[in-house]
Amino acid sequence: MRAPIGFRVSNARKSLKISQADLARKIGISPSYLNLIENNKRDVAGALLQRIAHELNINIDDLTGEAESKLLSDLEEIYADPLLDSLPFQPDEQRNLVAQYPASAMAIARVHRAYAQALEHADSYADRLRSDPLLAQLLHQVLSSITAVRSGAEILEDVPDLGEAERRRFVDAIGRETRSLSDLARNLIGHFENASDARRSVSPAREIDDLLIERENYFQSLEDAAMGLRLQIEAGGGFGMTTLTRLLEDKFGVRVVVGGKAPGRGTDFPGQYRFDPPSNILWLQGASTLATRQFQLARLFGEMTAADVIDREMASFKLTTEEALRLARRALGSYLAGAIVFPYSQFLAAAEAAAYDIDALRQHFNASYEQVAHRLVTLRRRGEEGIPFGFLRSDPAGRLTKHFPLPGLLLPYSGHACPLWAIYGAFRTPDVPVRQLVQFSDGGRYLFLARTVQRRSAAFHEVPVMASVMLACDVLHVDRTVYGRGMNLADSAADVPVGPSCRLCTRADCTSRQEEAMGPSGSVPAMRTALVPDGFTLGSAP
């Protein structure tokens, strides 16, 4: 869905008391075309958007509406909730709400998030009730104690001729059972509290996503720190594993071990790398690639040397859970490592020179495909921007495991995206880049570029782990990339018609649809309609 740039242009123009004809003449377009722009029926970008911002004397970022695009994406996901199927939403309702009543749109988004959080907690407790053996045992003991207390109380109440000794025996039994019941209730409450502490947020990962979007996935303080660290590494003997290994040992006493058994807590979730603070050992799996080793060495060196910079960034975050804080620190460490391995200005110049050829860049910087793709997303420095990219990663089951959205492009936060996207098609041709020009139902056109990445197996019995990563950019920027060569970008007839996901897609004629889309109140859901009409009976006339 388009961001409400047109509404912002219209509001800014009216506040300056400039007519449509005057503004159209100054920016070099017809009044009728400006009218289409202001009604959000035409995309506007590049030089034209800059001329409009100049004539209206406002910052171009105030027109592009990146914050509004994120809010629009949130509303699209909310309105696709099956609970809201029966409501007769108008086609432009979300966009108009964001443009005219942004506070109300934000309120809806926050209320829905609170609802999702409550639903998550309810599902969590339901799962625990069904599958937690300790919880089942505690509940059984509570029920047994209540039954014993009730039986004793009924005997005391219904049998008037009990002897004093027998009455005392029943009273003592009730006392014991009630004390036991009190202890059981305390244990039960503690069991739930311990579980809910880890589930206080509906999704810590969602909190991190929101944080990265708010910062445009760019952290100037980390870029500055990375520049100094890179110079320090190069002065120590040139950038690479040898220098990083020596600096870690000389400055921090860290010993780098490749292969063998992971240090620390046995073999629980060793992954491809692990840092064990008690032994001061950075362990790297023997099957890990040189790109992974270099990146993790740079990450540990950055986290240890620039810990104060990371701490200052962390202090500015408003995160609600310990898990979110842990994920945020991990994300900042990875960002810092990326900025060390790919110095901003040097990497941007190389990307422009190579026309954003990811394979050429990975060879130039001795990095992995995913590392290069992720760094491309962070080229958002004011006055020194690269092409704006969105990023997605999917596992073989189609579940989205990492994402950074692009303003104007609706990327699902979780679950599955449109089955026609290149991110899924890449699994059919492993290790081969797949490019795809797509068009959404609102007319937005994008280049999708996907490729599989695979973690090498450490042994014969270990199943290789594969994923697919995808970059997405607006078609306006495709001619700046090597991937646009040979494509007729002016002809949209060959575009693949797609949607964000089945629930959010309005293409009723899509043969790949797996779920029904949102429909107006009273509409008949074709996918769930029986082949035989409801009124059919044996003997009915044809």
Side-chain angles (χ1 to χ4, degrees):
M1 175 177 287
R2 294 187 181 97
I5 296 177
F7 295 123
R8 299 176 74 87
V9 171
S10 177
N11 292 337
R13 177 182 61 77
K14 291 176 181 177
S15 67
L16 295 175
K17 295 180 170 52
I18 301 175
S19 69
Q20 273 191 344
D22 287 342
L23 180 59
R25 177 176 49 80
K26 291 178 180 179
I27 62 178
I29 62 174
S30 67
S32 59
Y33 190 74
L34 177 60
N35 184 60
L36 291 173
I37 290 175
E38 290 192 351
N39 284 284
N40 231 48
K41 295 181 179 178
R42 289 292 185 275
D43 287 322
V44 57
L48 178 57
L49 187 61
Q50 292 177 353
R51 293 201 300 272
I52 293 175
H54 175 73
E55 293 298 333
L56 297 178
N57 194 28
I58 57 179
N59 193 307
I60 193 170
D61 292 335
D62 294 334
L63 284 180
T64 54
E66 293 192 4
E68 286 81 359
S69 294
K70 177 183 178 299
L71 188 53
L72 275 171
S73 297
D74 289 343
L75 289 184
E76 279 285 321
E77 197 166 357
I78 292 169
Y79 282 28
D81 194 310
L83 188 65
L84 307 180
D85 261 350
S86 60
L87 298 181
F89 294 118
Q90 299 301 312
D92 293 335
E93 189 161 332
Q94 300 99 304
R95 185 181 63 197
N96 293 334
L97 182 63
V98 171
Q100 300 179 37
Y101 306 103
S104 296
M106 182 63 71
I108 292 173
R110 290 182 180 178
V111 169
H112 186 268
R113 182 171 297 187
Y115 157 75
Q117 181 176 354
L119 196 62
E120 179 80 9
H121 287 168
D123 289 342
S124 173
Y125 287 134
D127 288 341
R128 295 186 68 81
L129 286 169
R130 286 192 295 265
S131 61
D132 192 326
L134 176 57
L135 182 58
Q137 182 180 358
L138 287 173
L139 290 175
H140 180 74
Q141 292 178 8
V142 167
L143 183 60
S144 298
S145 295
I146 291 174
T147 301
V149 169
R150 180 176 178 178
S151 298
E154 287 176 348
I155 291 174
L156 291 174
E157 183 179 11
D158 297 339
V159 182
D161 56 347
L162 277 177
E164 185 60 30
E166 290 180 322
R167 183 176 296 275
R168 171 54 54 189
R169 182 163 58 84
F170 281 113
V171 169
D172 290 343
I174 291 174
R176 287 194 303 271
E177 293 296 339
T178 52
R179 286 191 295 271
S180 174
L181 187 59
S182 176
D183 292 337
L184 285 170
R186 189 178 297 110
N187 291 340
L188 189 60
I189 292 171
H191 192 57
F192 272 101
E193 286 181 344
N194 290 336
S196 61
D197 281 344
R199 296 176 172 84
R200 193 170 301 154
S201 171
V202 59
S203 172
R206 179 74 176 264
E207 285 193 83
I208 304 305
D209 284 341
D210 290 345
L211 172 65
L212 293 178
I213 293 167
E214 179 185 342
R215 301 294 185 90
E216 296 183 335
N217 204 21
Y218 179 78
F219 298 86
Q220 184 62 53
S221 63
L222 297 183
E223 296 285 352
D224 293 339
M227 186 182 302
L229 293 174
R230 177 75 183 216
L231 292 174
Q232 184 178 337
I233 295 168
E234 290 177 344
F239 184 79
M241 285 190 58
T242 302
T243 305
L244 284 166
T245 300
R246 186 174 65 253
L247 286 174
L248 281 169
E249 185 165 10
D250 292 345
K251 291 192 65 172
F252 304 105
V254 172
R255 187 162 58 94
V256 178
V257 175
V258 178
K261 185 179 179 181
R265 299 167 295 171
T267 59
D268 58 321
F269 196 63
Q272 294 192 85
Y273 53 86
R274 170 185 287 177
F275 177 61
D276 183 50
S279 62
N280 224 16
I281 290 176
L282 174 61
W283 172 82
L284 299 162
Q285 188 184 63
S288 59
T289 64
L290 292 178
T292 297
R293 297 177 190 180
Q294 176 180 266
F295 190 89
Q296 296 307 325
L297 285 168
R299 176 180 167 186
L300 182 59
F301 182 74
E303 289 181 349
M304 297 185 111
T305 308
D308 56 332
V309 180
I310 295 177
D311 287 340
R312 284 195 294 272
E313 283 290 348
M314 290 289 298
S316 66
F317 298 162
K318 297 179 180 179
L319 301 174
T320 60
T321 66
E322 288 296 325
E323 185 177 357
L325 290 168
R326 177 175 56 81
L327 292 176
R329 184 171 290 276
R330 175 185 174 86
L332 292 183
S334 295
Y335 185 101
L336 182 60
I340 294 172
V341 175
F342 311 103
Y344 192 99
S345 297
Q346 179 185 343
F347 181 73
L348 177 58
E352 292 283 354
Y356 291 85
D357 188 328
I358 299 177
D359 284 298
L361 291 171
R362 63 187 293 210
Q363 297 298 324
H364 183 85
F365 289 94
N366 296 319
S368 73
Y369 191 93
E370 184 173 354
Q371 289 168 6
V372 172
H374 207 277
R375 183 56 168 157
L376 286 173
V377 179
T378 66
L379 299 180
R380 309 306 304 145
R381 179 181 291 172
R382 295 294 173 88
E384 197 180 355
E385 297 96 341
I387 292 178
F389 285 105
F391 178 92
L392 273 181
R393 186 178 67 191
S394 169
D395 63 18
R399 185 175 61 92
L400 303 178
T401 57
K402 184 190 292 185
H403 90 294
F404 183 77
L406 178 69
L409 172 60
L410 178 59
L411 299 180
Y413 273 100
S414 59
H416 297 74
C418 172
L420 299 177
W421 283 12
I423 193 170
Y424 300 129
F427 285 112
R428 294 193 289 270
T429 55
D431 299 325
V432 177
V434 177
R435 64 177 182 175
Q436 181 187 49
L437 273 178
V438 302
Q439 184 171 159
F440 285 77
S441 55
D442 67 351
R445 301 176 67 209
Y446 298 88
L447 171 70
F448 285 173
L449 178 68
R451 186 182 188 275
T452 58
V453 294
Q454 183 170 308
R455 192 184 73 187
R456 293 193 302 196
S457 301
F460 171 76
H461 67 275
E462 189 173 287
V463 178
V465 178
M466 183 179 290
S468 175
V469 297
M470 186 179 83
L471 288 177
C473 74
D474 194 287
V475 73
L476 296 172
H477 306 290
V478 174
D479 58 353
R480 295 170 56 189
T481 74
V482 67
Y483 306 106
R485 295 174 185 171
M487 285 184 165
N488 185 1
L489 301 177
D491 181 14
S492 62
D495 293 353
V496 179
V498 300
S501 65
C502 288
R503 290 292 301 169
L504 301 177
C505 184
T506 59
R507 298 187 186 279
D509 59 346
C510 178
T511 58
S512 298
R513 179 175 289 282
Q514 304 296 313
E515 294 181 278
E516 294 170 3
M518 291 187 303
S521 179
S523 63
V524 178
M527 286 181 66
R528 297 177 186 170
T529 300
L531 295 178
V532 178
D534 290 344
F536 176 83
T537 59
L538 292 176
S540 296

